[in-house]
């Protein structure tokens, strides 16, 4: 079985990220580099983590005009990341352009195209947030709608909250990969994640990958925490 744990490197510096990645490498399947680390440390941190042989999920959630997103996806593909994110609310044309850029760039370099993951409704949004921006749908319906649009637009994966997995699995083709943050083991202190599942529950519900941040990097022994999560899946 492949290791489905993606450890989020939500730390502020390249040094801290590399140290954490070194500690965790044997126990996880990939590392997620998000906005904080990327803005602080730049593409160099992606190259350094890739140079260790580890897979990288570049979580920058692109949302712009199709041409700009396509160019950003092409640049990320040249960094040889294995997964990256775009906002599905950018629309079908933007998503098609992103997927095409990933495929074409990878092909021209002899690389495997990164999995372009669609983000639907951010978990920080609720019905009031959607109403505020002029969207009459409720969040659940909007998640399903955007997920279907993403699949129709050629995306092969989505980011979703643990509590959306079952509903999405019912309507999506089985090849779609679901990447799920909001994972909590129960051992850690309560924080801002409100809708959580355990790693085992999320995999049983149909997740393909688990994004785990604080339960690993904020624990006293990150390597041990990752190993325990992996064990809990068997
Ligand atoms: O520390 P924690 O396990 O909550 O980290 C989860 C990671 O997944 C963070 O990097 C966070 O930005 C990301 N994420 C999330 N919820 C979403 C989308 C992404 O927690 N809906």
């Amino acid at each position: 079985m492949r290791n489905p744990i993606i450890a989020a490197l939500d730390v502020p510096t390249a040094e801290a990220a590399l140290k954490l990645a070194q500690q965790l490498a044997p126990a996880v399947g990939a590392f997620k580099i998000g906005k904080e680390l990327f803005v602080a440390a730049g593409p160099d941190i992606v190259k350094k983590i890739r140079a260790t042989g580890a897979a990288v999920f570049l979580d920058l959630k692109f949302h712009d005009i199709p041409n700009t997103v396509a160019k950003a996806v092409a640049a990320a593909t040249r960094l040889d990341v294995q997964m990256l994110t775009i906002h599905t609310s950018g629309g079908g044309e933007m998503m098609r352009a992103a997927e095409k850029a990933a495929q074409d760039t990878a092909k021209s370099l002899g690389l495997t195209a990164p999995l372009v993951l669609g983000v639907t409704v951010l978990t920080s949004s609720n019905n009031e947030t959607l109403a505020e921006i002029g969207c009459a749908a409720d969040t659940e319906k909007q998640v399903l709608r955007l997920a279907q649009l993403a699949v129709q637009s050629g995306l092969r994966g989505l980011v979703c909250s643990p509590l959306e997995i079952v509903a999405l699995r019912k309507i999506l083709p089985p090849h779609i990969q679901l990447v799920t943050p909001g994972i909590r083991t129960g051992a850690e202190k309560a924080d801002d994640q409100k809708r959580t599942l355990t790693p085992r529950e999320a995999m049983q519900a149909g997740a393909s990958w688990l994004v785990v941040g604080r339960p690993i990097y904020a624990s006293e022994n990150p390597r041990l925490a990752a190993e325990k999560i992996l064990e809990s899946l068997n």
Side-chain angles (χ1 to χ4, degrees):
M1 192 194 84
R2 74 170 161 75
N3 185 329
I5 303 171
I6 303 175
L9 299 176
D10 292 337
V11 291
T13 65
E15 294 69 43
L18 283 167
K19 190 172 159 221
L20 189 58
Q22 214 169 20
Q23 265 180 305
L24 291 174
V28 303
F31 292 108
K32 184 171 90 78
I33 296 176
K35 286 190 170 109
E36 180 190 15
L37 181 59
F38 191 81
V39 172
D44 197 48
I45 188 63
V46 178
K47 290 179 195 160
K48 285 194 171 132
I49 303 273
R50 281 296 293 133
T52 70
V56 169
F57 169 15
L58 187 62
D59 185 20
L60 300 179
K61 298 188 179 70
F62 298 137
H63 186 173
D64 211 309
I65 59 171
N67 182 53
T68 300
V69 168
K71 286 182 176 171
V73 169
T77 305
R78 286 194 289 274
L79 286 174
D80 192 22
V81 302
Q82 283 57 55
M83 302 179 180
L84 60 91
T85 42
I86 63 173
H87 270 286
T88 57
S89 50
E93 190 190 344
M94 191 200 87
M95 287 190 272
R96 284 191 298 277
E99 180 65 29
K100 186 173 186 308
Q103 299 286 351
D104 292 353
T105 309
K107 201 171 168 197
S108 72
L109 297 172
L111 298 170
T112 302
L115 183 64
V116 179
L117 298 162
V119 173
T120 59
V121 180
L122 292 173
T123 46
S124 52
S125 294
N126 56 24
N127 292 351
E128 284 85 65
T129 322
L130 291 186
E132 203 174 55
I133 58 165
C135 179
D138 71 46
T139 49
E140 233 171 278
K141 280 197 190 129
Q142 186 68 359
V143 167
L144 297 180
R145 182 192 176 117
L146 289 170
Q148 274 166 323
L149 179 64
V151 173
Q152 285 159 17
S153 307
L155 297 199
R156 294 161 288 141
L158 293 161
V159 177
C160 70
S161 102
L163 302 191
E164 293 160 2
I165 302 170
V166 170
L168 285 169
R169 279 285 171 230
K170 277 191 194 145
I171 62 155
L172 296 177
H175 73 274
I176 297 297
Q177 300 206 37
L178 294 180
V179 178
T180 309
I183 298 300
R184 290 296 178 266
T185 64
E188 58 283 302
K189 289 193 208 87
D191 50 43
D192 60 351
Q193 294 283 13
K194 297 197 171 57
R195 299 183 291 155
T196 67
L197 287 185
T198 67
R200 192 185 174 86
E201 285 166 343
M203 292 303 287
Q204 280 170 347
S208 318
W209 297 90
L210 308 172
V211 176
V212 188
R214 285 161 288 185
I216 292 178
Y217 73 74
S219 92
E220 256 171 53
N221 184 337
R223 169 76 169 268
L224 189 64
E227 283 169 351
K228 278 193 182 160
I229 292 175
L230 191 59
E231 265 168 41
S232 77
L233 299 177
N234 295 322

